[in-house]
Structure formats: structure tokens, C-alpha cells
Amino acid sequence: MTTESRLKAALNGTSGTVTRFLEELVGERIAAERCHHQRIAAPASNDLGVDEGEPLLRRAAVLHGLASGHPFVYAESLIVLGRVPPIFLRGLETGSDPIGRLLDEAGIAVTRQDLGQVQGGAMDRPRNFDEVVHSSLLARSYRIESEHLPLMLISEWFLSALTPFLLDGVVR
């Protein structure tokens, strides 16, 4: 079994957030370092079920270990501002908590719908984007919904720093 398939199987087997999965996997608290955070207008064609021009937040962050500093995931998200509570948005704007932790803290029950191939070419990516994700173990995109209402689109690249935690076909 390849590292990619082990990681995919482990992610598919969890019912929690990616943040919680990473923290259990690597044994340390995960923080989000913002790379990009910008309010934009929704394009005419989108997978969020919103009208053209509706306000969205376009965000990119690296999820890293708080103690080790190792980058584990690079993630891009497109969030419908009118569908998430102000406390969630304040957390994104002022703190280093990942989206998953903020959803949990806001009491927002969510489901994920797989979108297959990685989405999102419109992001102003960091200069070293290709260097960061070139050796990614897995890339995926999904929509987060709450009560069947799309809240956000997320694309993630799971980085090679996770490899030591995926040894011998078993996720530690």
C-alpha cells in the first residue's frame, strides 16, 4: 500500500476534522499560518450555490505543528461569509486556529462532499507554492456543508512531513 493510499484511507476513516486528525496523527497541537486572506465577490459559476457577487473569503494557510514547526498541510479555502457566524470569522482574522477547530468551537456540525480533483486556480499563491507542494503525498478538494447548505470549498495538499507518521501500512 502506498503512502498516498494509506493517508487517503486514514482520512476517509475519520469522522472528525482534518485538524483533529492531524493532531492525533502527529501528537502535537496544529496551528494555521495564514498565507492569503482576502474578501472577494463570488464568480458567476461556483460550487457554493451562491449568486454572482456574493461576498466570499479566499484564504490560504499552512497547517503546521505548534511545537515542531513542521508544515503538514497547505490548504486553500473559499468561504461564504454570510453562512458562517461572526465568531468563526473573527477567529480566522485574528487567531492561528485552523478552520476545523473554529468550526468545532462555534458548534457547527458539518459534512464533507468530495469534489475529486484539486480545485482553485484563482488563488494568489505564495512564491514558494510549487516548492511547498511538489512532494505532496495527497491532494484533494471538498465542499463543507452544514444542514445541506454549502459553507466553503477546501483544497488541501498533505505534505511530505507526514511520511514518518504513515509507516508500515499503519497510521500511528
Side-chain angles (χ1 to χ4, degrees):
M1 183 181 267
T2 67
T3 302
E4 177 184 355
S5 59
R6 285 194 300 268
L7 180 57
K8 188 180 254 184
L11 285 163
N12 289 341
T14 184
S15 60
T17 65
V18 170
T19 303
R20 194 173 319 127
F21 169 80
L22 285 173
E23 288 177 337
E24 290 173 9
L25 180 66
V26 303
E28 66 178 303
R29 191 162 172 87
I30 298 296
E33 179 183 339
R34 263 188 307 194
C35 302
H36 186 84
H37 189 94
Q38 175 187 24
R39 291 176 187 242
I40 64 166
S45 176
N46 61 70
D47 287 323
L48 291 164
V50 296
D51 293 332
E52 181 177 10
E54 185 154 343
L56 303 176
L57 175 63
R58 189 170 63 183
R59 178 181 170 84
V62 174
L63 303 184
H64 63 87
L66 199 54
S68 69
H70 294 304
F72 295 118
V73 175
Y74 172 81
E76 297 178 350
S77 52
L78 202 53
I79 303 165
V80 182
L81 293 171
R83 294 181 182 167
V84 292
I87 192 167
F88 175 86
L89 293 174
R90 273 193 303 280
L92 286 178
E93 292 171 355
T94 62
S96 63
D97 283 331
I99 285 174
R101 186 174 301 124
L102 293 171
L103 288 168
D104 282 348
E105 289 175 358
I108 302 170
V110 299
T111 58
R112 281 190 296 269
Q113 181 181 8
D114 184 23
L115 297 177
Q117 190 174 2
V118 172
Q119 306 281 310
M123 181 66 65
D124 296 328
R125 293 182 167 145
R127 284 191 192 101
N128 64 342
F129 172 79
D130 290 331
E131 178 185 324
V132 169
V133 304
H134 85 279
S135 64
S136 66
L137 305 174
L138 174 69
R140 68 178 189 164
S141 289
Y142 55 92
R143 180 175 35 241
I144 289 184
E145 299 177 354
S146 182
E147 299 179 12
H148 304 289
L149 187 64
L151 302 181
M152 61 191 80
L153 302 175
I154 296 182
S155 293
E156 298 169 323
W157 290 259
F158 291 83
L159 306 177
S160 59
L162 289 170
T163 302
F165 303 97
L166 302 167
L167 299 175
D168 303 324
V170 178
V171 176
R172 290 203 236 168

